[in-house]
Amino acid sequence: MNVHEALEQHDWYRALAPEHRGLAASGTVVRTFAPDSYIARRGEYSRYWIGVDAGLIKLAVYTPDGRGCTFCGVPAGGWCGEGSVIKREERRYDVIAIRESRVLLVAETIFNTLLADSLPFAGYVVRQLNERMGQFIAMVQNDRLLGADARVAQAIAQLFHPALYPKTTAVLELSQEEIGLLTGLSRQRVNQALRRLEAEGMVGLSYQTIRVTDLEALRRFGMSEL
C-alpha cells in the first residue's frame, strides 16, 4: 500500500482540496514498527503527526526506575500527537507500538501548513483536540474512582470512540496482556475482569480476541460508582 492509498482510508484526507491532498501525501511516510518499539520518544522534538494504519499503539510515560503511566491506546484509524506538533515543542510522552503496527507519519511542517491553509483540515484538528480532551478527563476520572473491573470495561469501550477511532470493529484483536498495558493492571487481574464482563453478556472471549456484544452496557458498567 502506498502513501496515497493509506491516507485515502481517513476522512480528513478525503475532505481536502486536491492540492492539499497532494501536499499531505508528499509529506507523509509509512513505517512499520515491531511490538514494544518506540515510534516517538518523550523529550524529542515533535517532528510528526502520528496515525495508525494497522495495529495498536499507546501513549505513555516511564520513570527512570521503570514505573509507567499509560494515557491511552490508539487503534487503527486513530491519530495522535497533534497538540505537540501545533506547539512545536518537545514531546511529553512516549509513543510505543503495543503490537506490530503500520504507522503514518505526517511531517510537522506539512501538518502546520495544512492547519493554516485548509479549513476542512483545521476543523478536523479542532474536533480531534476537543474529543481528546474529553477522553483524557474521563480516563483520569476512571483511574481514580473506578474499580478494576470497571476500568477494564472503560478501557475497551474507549476504543470505540466514534470520532477518535472510527475504524474499530466489534471484534477486537486484543490480548489480556495488551489490556493490562492500557489499564496498568496485571494480566491475571484483567482475566478476572473479562470473565465477569463475559458472564454479564457484554463481551465474548476467544484466544487473543474480544467480541463486544453490548457496547452500551460496557460503557455504563461501573459508572454508577461515580
Side-chain angles (χ1 to χ4, degrees):
M1 180 181 292
N2 62 36
V3 170
H4 174 72
E5 291 172 336
L7 288 172
E8 275 285 349
Q9 308 303 309
H10 299 272
D11 290 344
W12 66 265
Y13 181 77
R14 295 193 299 270
L16 298 180
E19 64 272 21
H20 291 143
R21 286 200 296 271
L23 179 65
S26 71
T28 301
V29 296
V30 181
R31 289 186 57 191
T32 299
F33 292 85
D36 300 322
S37 60
Y38 283 79
I39 299 164
R41 289 183 178 270
R42 179 185 181 191
E44 292 180 346
Y45 179 75
S46 300
R47 298 170 54 215
Y48 298 105
W49 185 40
I50 300 168
V52 184
D53 190 57
L56 178 67
I57 69 175
K58 67 176 180 177
L59 280 53
V61 170
Y62 291 93
T63 63
D65 62 2
R67 290 176 295 128
C69 174
T70 295
F71 299 125
C72 69
V74 183
W79 291 81
C80 64
E82 55 277 345
S84 297
V85 173
I86 290 171
K87 291 182 284 186
R88 296 181 170 91
E89 66 177 11
E90 294 179 351
R91 199 171 295 278
R92 299 184 180 183
Y93 50 82
D94 295 314
V95 184
I96 303 169
I98 291 179
R99 70 168 71 111
E100 182 174 278
S101 300
R102 188 168 63 248
V103 174
L104 295 161
L105 302 172
V106 180
E108 174 268 325
T109 52
I110 299 298
F111 175 94
N112 281 302
T113 297
L114 290 171
L115 189 63
D117 294 348
S118 171
L119 186 59
F121 186 75
Y124 174 85
V125 172
V126 169
R127 292 190 296 274
Q128 179 91 351
L129 288 167
N130 184 56
E131 297 290 350
R132 184 79 66 196
M133 177 64 71
Q135 181 192 42
F136 283 164
I137 289 172
M139 287 177 56
V140 172
Q141 165 192 275
N142 295 345
D143 285 347
R144 293 185 180 180
L145 300 177
L146 296 183
D149 291 354
R151 284 165 57 191
V152 170
Q154 295 305 314
I156 296 171
Q158 283 179 352
L159 296 177
F160 289 85
H161 193 298
L164 293 175
Y165 314 130
K167 294 172 66 176
T168 303
T169 63
V171 178
L172 300 173
E173 294 183 0
L174 196 63
S175 71
Q176 294 177 11
E177 182 179 4
E178 289 169 340
I179 296 174
L181 292 173
L182 295 178
T183 58
L185 299 169
S186 69
R187 188 188 63 78
Q188 291 79 9
R189 187 62 187 86
V190 168
N191 179 267
Q192 294 174 14
L194 288 174
R195 294 300 174 188
R196 179 179 176 187
L197 298 178
E198 182 181 40
E200 298 194 18
M202 300 177 209
V203 301
L205 305 177
S206 56
Y207 180 70
Q208 299 272 339
T209 63
I210 300 169
R211 176 182 290 275
V212 175
T213 53
D214 193 338
L215 179 57
E216 290 308 311
L218 200 65
R219 286 172 169 157
R220 293 193 302 268
F221 182 79
M223 301 308 284
S224 61
E225 299 178 19
L226 301 178

